[in-house]
Amino acid sequence: MAAKIRQVAIPESRGDAGERAYARLRDAIVQQALAPGQRLVESALCEWLQMSRTPVREALGRLQAASLVEDAPGGGLQVASYDLGGLNELYVVREMLEATAASEAARHATPAEIAGLEDSLEIQRRHVDDVTAFARENAVFHQCLYAAAHNRFLLRTLQTLSDAVALLGRTAINQREAVERAIGQHAKIVAAIVKRDPERAFELTRQHIRTGLESRSLAFRRAPAPLERARK
């Protein structure tokens, strides 16, 4: 008769707890449950996450390295917030990396990945009058583009940038005209990928991201100052 196997509970490693803390804090920041500029009190985070200080500190260190958390005035940490200079810095990097992803996608995208980009375009067109639904599909389109580049290091970096972009708040594409323009730009990028034209895919994507920066910059300048927001 075979011996009965005794079930032994394996304690969760610090690494596992650190990963869970990182994932939960990242999601809270990206979804703005923790708002840009909000101070992060370690003891409060430990209580909220029901974890010890070690994994929480590990998670905060990773978030700071990913530019989602920054030093707070007077000490401690806060959720990162961007001024106009930071916005420009972010989009300079985004422009070059997304253009590179599109160029690589023109070289390496599989038929299934191209079909996925085309499907996303069709969904975007169906939501031309629904900015919120378009914004969701817009994010899907860009993630499909990153994946089609077939470069894991580029993918990882672009996903980190996507998290940083989320700190800027809702998309600046908030009118039908802007939605139609974005869809038109997406269509041209996909056409260049279909034609296996990496140079054109690169340049079209650069122009697309620059258009996004212009919209973001305009929205940024029109936004009320932090003191004005606090009074409302």
Side-chain angles (χ1 to χ4, degrees):
M1 183 176 176
K4 185 176 180 180
I5 299 175
R6 183 167 60 93
Q7 298 295 325
V8 178
I10 301 175
E12 183 176 55
S13 70
R14 287 183 178 179
D16 292 337
E19 189 64 39
R20 287 193 296 110
Y22 173 80
R24 289 188 63 186
L25 287 172
R26 173 194 166 278
D27 287 348
I29 291 170
V30 169
Q31 295 167 17
Q32 296 204 3
L34 295 172
Q38 182 174 338
R39 186 173 289 272
L40 299 171
V41 179
E42 191 175 284
S43 58
L45 293 177
C46 290
E47 183 178 353
W48 174 55
L49 295 169
Q50 293 293 293
M51 292 183 184
S52 66
R53 290 182 180 270
T54 298
V56 172
R57 285 177 180 168
E58 176 189 323
L60 289 172
R62 289 178 61 187
L63 291 164
Q64 190 167 18
S67 299
L68 295 178
V69 165
E70 63 188 5
D71 293 329
L77 296 172
Q78 66 181 23
V79 177
S81 61
Y82 294 106
D83 57 15
L84 193 56
L87 174 68
N88 283 306
E89 289 175 9
L90 174 59
Y91 268 75
V92 164
V93 178
R94 186 182 177 195
E95 177 186 317
M96 295 308 297
L97 292 185
E98 288 214 24
T100 299
S103 176
E104 290 300 292
R107 294 185 175 94
H108 305 299
T110 66
E113 287 166 338
I114 291 173
L117 289 167
E118 292 173 333
D119 288 346
S120 179
L121 269 177
E122 287 305 310
I123 294 171
Q124 291 170 50
R125 292 184 178 113
R126 291 201 296 269
H127 293 308
V128 69
D129 290 313
D130 186 338
V131 172
T132 301
F134 168 78
R136 286 196 298 268
E137 191 57 35
N138 179 54
V140 170
F141 177 85
H142 283 271
Q143 289 295 326
C144 289
L145 183 65
Y146 305 161
H150 289 266
N151 185 314
R152 56 186 167 172
F153 300 103
L154 184 59
L155 175 62
R156 188 178 304 153
T157 306
L158 281 166
Q159 287 173 334
T160 298
L161 281 180
S162 294
D163 289 345
V165 170
L167 290 175
L168 301 174
R170 291 188 59 179
T171 176
I173 302 174
N174 54 15
Q175 295 178 343
R176 182 187 174 108
E177 180 183 355
V179 171
E180 289 176 336
R181 181 172 60 245
I183 293 171
Q185 291 172 342
H186 289 167
K188 290 179 180 178
I189 292 167
V190 173
I193 292 171
V194 170
K195 292 178 180 177
R196 302 297 182 183
D197 188 341
E199 290 77 17
R200 182 161 173 75
F202 183 94
E203 188 54 37
L204 287 168
T205 305
R206 282 187 67 184
Q207 293 171 11
H208 177 55
I209 300 303
R210 285 183 182 181
T211 300
L213 173 59
E214 290 169 5
S215 298
R216 286 280 189 188
S217 296
L218 183 61
F220 201 95
R221 291 188 179 96
R222 288 176 174 172
L227 181 57
E228 293 173 351
R229 288 197 297 269
R231 288 172 177 166
K232 291 184 179 180

